[in-house]
Amino acid sequence: MDTQLTDLIRAASAVRKQAYVPYSGFAVGAAVQCKSGAVFVGSNIENISYGLTICAERIAVASAVAAGQREFVAIAVVADTSEPIVPCGACRQFLAEFAPELIIVSATMRGGQKIESLSHLLPDPKRGILENVHIH
Ligand code: THU
């Protein structure tokens, strides 16, 4: 794996420690690499009203967008699982808003790694919407 992706995994792994997970205990870290080279990180934030929980991936991307970044090349996701995890359906759609071809690098705390493309996990994220929604 190239060093940029290794660095991205390291950033995701570091921010995972900030996860606020009093309900599940399942900490996730994410780091998104912008086209500009900047990296933004996020960890999951749970809520007593469970459905309001925000995944690490969306926190990372929201932080990047708030800083003026909208072009992304890769996102790393780290969790302490036996197999690398991939973003949930909601996050896939959220990521596809900005980067339908995003590279997803998943890693475990035990060194497992996997690379996938968002377009494989979520084909046609905007089909039927772009043609019918009037975009201002
Ligand atoms: N979670 C993430 O942050 N990212 C994922 O890719 C999978 C799920 C969080 C949401 C919730 O806080 C906990 O993990 C259990 O689902």
Side-chain angles (χ1 to χ4, degrees):
M1 189 168 302
D2 75 38
T3 54
Q4 232 178 12
L5 293 185
T6 307
D7 287 351
L8 209 56
I9 291 172
R10 202 167 292 127
S13 170
V15 73
R16 181 179 167 274
K17 297 183 181 71
Q18 309 303 333
Y20 175 73
V21 290
Y23 307 106
S24 75
F26 188 72
V28 182
V32 66
Q33 170 94 56
C34 306
K35 212 170 175 181
S36 67
V39 169
F40 289 83
V41 296
S43 47
N44 48 336
I45 303 176
E46 298 189 339
N47 189 271
I48 195 163
S49 177
Y50 289 11
L52 293 179
T53 291
I54 309 177
C55 296
E57 296 91 323
R58 273 178 283 155
I59 299 285
V61 169
S63 172
V65 173
Q69 305 287 326
R70 293 184 181 177
E71 294 186 295
F72 307 115
V73 292
I75 190 166
V77 185
V78 176
D80 189 12
T81 44
S82 53
E83 296 296 322
I85 63 164
V86 287
C88 75
C91 284
R92 294 178 199 186
Q93 190 74 47
F94 193 90
L95 297 168
E97 180 69 23
F98 298 101
E101 305 294 331
L102 191 68
I103 293 164
I104 297 170
V105 193
S106 303
T108 69
M109 299 302 289
R110 309 152 205 197
Q113 289 178 358
K114 181 177 181 176
I115 299 189
E116 290 207 55
S117 66
L118 180 57
S119 60
H120 174 71
L121 292 173
L122 184 67
D124 270 340
K126 298 180 184 178
R127 179 158 68 176
I129 303 173
L130 272 182
E131 298 88 328
N132 294 291
V133 174
H134 188 74
I135 296 170
H136 296 275

